């Protein structure tokens, strides 16, 4: 955590400067990274606020390829706060409504799919969680990647299918 403790003030300073000079892209990126640091430090409420700021700033400057990571951060924050239905809705917005975009990073897409599956599971929506997990695994395989044990999917499969 010592590196995170150093990163947050530097990121907050970068965000402040970007805001002061009207650089929405820099402000949005710094806010996205601040949200991730807050999550890593166990502060999902602050992460939620930072991710919402990031989404607003990145959309304001039409940085559509950078919005998905902020949306994923928002969903993870909602999940950590126990707001599972809102988290599912956030991941649905990312995946179903096409906010990922054709040029967006495929890793963000897979991350959102994994988070959505875990959130459905936590919300007790087991059948949907199982279907979502299978969809994630299919997407990963179709990309020519292996479904890794450390992705959490194997553990999820065991929990869902007993």
């Amino acid at each position: 955590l010592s590196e995170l403790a150093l990163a947050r003030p530097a990121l907050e300073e970068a965000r402040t400067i970007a805001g002061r000079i009207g650089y929405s892209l820099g402000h949005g990126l710094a806010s996205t990274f601040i949200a991730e640091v807050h999550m890593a430090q166990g502060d999902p409420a602050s992460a939620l606020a930072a991710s919402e700021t990031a989404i607003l700033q990145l959309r304001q400057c039409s940085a559509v390829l950078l919005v998905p990571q902020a949306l994923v951060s928002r969903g993870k924050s909602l999940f950590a706060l126990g707001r599972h239905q809102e988290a599912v809705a956030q991941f649905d917005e990312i995946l179903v409504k096409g906010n990922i975009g054709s040029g967006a990073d495929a890793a963000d897409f897979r991350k959102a799919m994994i988070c959505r599956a875990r959130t459905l599971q936590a919300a007790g929506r087991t059948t949907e969680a199982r279907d979502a997990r299978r969809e994630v695994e299919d997407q990963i395989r179709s990309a020519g990647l292996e479904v890794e044990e450390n992705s959490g999917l194997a553990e999820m499969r065991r929990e869902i299918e007993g």
Side-chain angles (χ1 to χ4, degrees):
L1 283 176
S2 62
E3 290 181 13
L4 288 176
L6 294 173
R8 197 170 94 207
L11 288 166
E12 288 173 354
E13 181 180 4
R15 179 173 64 177
T16 299
I17 292 168
R20 190 177 317 130
I21 64 172
Y23 183 41
S24 295
L25 177 61
H27 192 273
L29 284 172
S31 294
T32 300
F33 297 133
I34 289 168
E36 293 297 323
V37 170
H38 282 305
M39 281 300 294
Q41 291 180 324
D43 185 0
S46 294
L48 178 61
S51 64
E52 288 175 343
T53 297
I55 293 164
L56 178 70
Q57 292 295 317
L58 294 170
R59 284 184 171 156
Q60 181 179 349
C61 67
S62 300
V64 294
L65 296 180
L66 301 173
V67 173
Q69 182 58 46
L71 292 170
V72 169
S73 291
R74 183 175 186 276
K76 290 183 341 188
S77 300
L78 290 166
F79 176 82
L81 290 167
R83 294 164 57 181
H84 297 147
Q85 296 304 325
E86 290 174 82
V88 169
Q90 178 64 80
F91 295 122
D92 284 345
E93 178 185 349
I94 297 166
L95 298 168
V96 178
K97 294 182 182 174
N99 283 307
I100 289 291
S102 59
D105 186 357
D108 282 337
F109 182 76
R110 287 191 296 274
K111 186 186 302 182
M113 291 178 71
I114 291 168
C115 290
R116 180 178 182 275
R118 286 180 176 161
T119 303
L120 286 165
Q121 179 183 350
R125 294 164 62 178
T126 308
T127 302
E128 291 172 90
R130 183 176 34 253
D131 293 345
R133 180 202 34 90
R134 288 181 181 146
E135 185 180 353
V136 173
E137 290 176 345
D138 291 345
Q139 286 286 332
I140 290 171
R141 285 190 190 100
S142 71
L145 304 171
E146 293 294 319
V147 178
E148 297 179 16
E149 182 73 27
N150 65 359
S151 71
L153 291 172
E155 178 183 332
M156 213 169 97
R157 183 185 311 112
R158 287 189 296 273
E159 290 175 9
I160 292 171
E161 295 179 355

